[in-house]
Amino acid sequence: MPRNARQRDEKGIHHVVVQGKRLENIFENEAEKELYLETLLQYKAKTGIKLYAFCILENHVHLVLQETKEESVSSFMRRVGVRFSYWYRQRYDLPVGERLFRGRYLSEPLHTEEEVLEVVRHIHQEPVKQGLVLKMEDYEWSSYRLYLSPGSFIDRRLILDSLHFGGGYQAYMEEEKDVAVLEE
């Protein structure tokens, strides 16, 4: 049975969640997290996809991506998944047919600036909510800190321009809000 096509939006901004099969841990150590991030950045550079936020946790990854006319989120995620899976299988000597991820990644288009900001905040707050760190800036595998320092591979302009009011980026990210985001 063929799969349903992913929803596309004229802005092309999506919240993406990649999960380990049966929610198993895939990113248990620094090497896996680092390679996944390096793979994302490699294909980001090749394709022009914009990366607004990420958070790599042990059994899943959150991303906020914006596709281009030349590269869809689906194509980008397929490239990243194939490359990372190949490396992972080699490292842990897993059979070629064994699945690493829980089916296709989850994604939802983000239609408004408010939706984008809320999802980015949720992504950045997740390591604190899971009890991994006390402060967002203490979690190494999130894009939060990249918004606080100059020079970054994160495409920050959209988020920072949207938060020119009030206390700006840090104040907005620290607000406690429960938002409906993709279920993990």
Side-chain angles (χ1 to χ4, degrees):
M1 175 189 256
R3 298 186 209 191
N4 293 333
R6 297 248 181 224
Q7 277 186 294
R8 293 200 64 166
D9 182 69
E10 67 183 48
K11 289 183 182 180
I13 300 174
H14 297 264
H15 175 209
V16 173
V17 178
V18 178
Q19 300 170 316
K21 71 176 182 182
R22 295 187 299 277
L23 297 178
E24 294 170 356
N25 290 348
I26 297 174
F27 309 102
E28 290 187 89
N29 63 47
E30 304 288 305
E32 284 100 12
K33 292 174 182 148
E34 188 172 318
L35 183 74
Y36 195 82
L37 183 57
E38 286 175 4
T39 305
L40 278 172
L41 296 179
Q42 177 186 23
Y43 286 109
K44 175 187 180 309
K46 283 183 180 180
T47 64
I49 287 271
K50 290 190 181 210
L51 174 61
Y52 294 118
F54 71 88
C55 186
I56 304 172
L57 299 152
E58 288 189 349
N59 69 353
H60 69 286
V61 174
H62 285 276
L63 305 168
V64 176
L65 302 169
Q66 184 172 23
E67 59 194 6
T68 67
K69 289 180 183 173
E70 297 78 29
E71 184 79 4
S72 69
V73 167
S74 291
S75 176
F76 178 80
M77 292 307 298
R78 183 173 42 257
R79 292 174 193 242
V80 170
V82 166
R83 171 84 187 258
F84 181 80
S85 295
Y86 177 79
W87 173 86
Y88 194 93
R89 282 190 188 96
Q90 296 277 67
R91 179 178 177 126
Y92 294 106
D93 198 28
L94 298 175
V96 173
E98 187 170 328
R99 294 179 63 165
L100 183 60
F101 297 112
R102 182 182 178 196
R104 285 198 298 179
Y105 63 90
L106 304 170
S107 79
E108 68 177 334
L110 302 174
H111 304 288
T112 67
E113 185 177 280
E114 183 178 275
E115 287 177 337
V116 173
L117 292 173
E118 287 177 355
V119 168
V120 169
R121 177 174 44 211
H122 169 79
I123 288 171
H124 289 161
Q125 289 179 351
E126 189 159 348
V128 174
K129 289 180 179 177
Q130 286 192 17
L132 301 173
V133 292
L134 295 175
K135 297 183 292 189
M136 288 180 281
E137 58 266 24
D138 292 339
Y139 193 71
E140 183 179 355
W141 300 104
S142 160
S143 52
Y144 177 79
R145 294 184 311 173
L146 300 172
Y147 278 89
L148 301 175
S149 59
S152 171
F153 56 80
I154 289 295
D155 298 294
R156 319 183 286 187
R157 201 72 273 143
L158 174 76
I159 304 302
L160 294 177
D161 286 351
S162 299
L163 294 172
H164 55 80
F165 59 86
Y169 172 77
Q170 247 179 313
Y172 182 82
M173 289 298 141
E174 290 172 2
E175 283 181 25
E176 288 294 324
K177 294 256 180 166
D178 287 329
V179 295
V181 294
L182 284 174
E183 291 298 317
E184 296 155 20

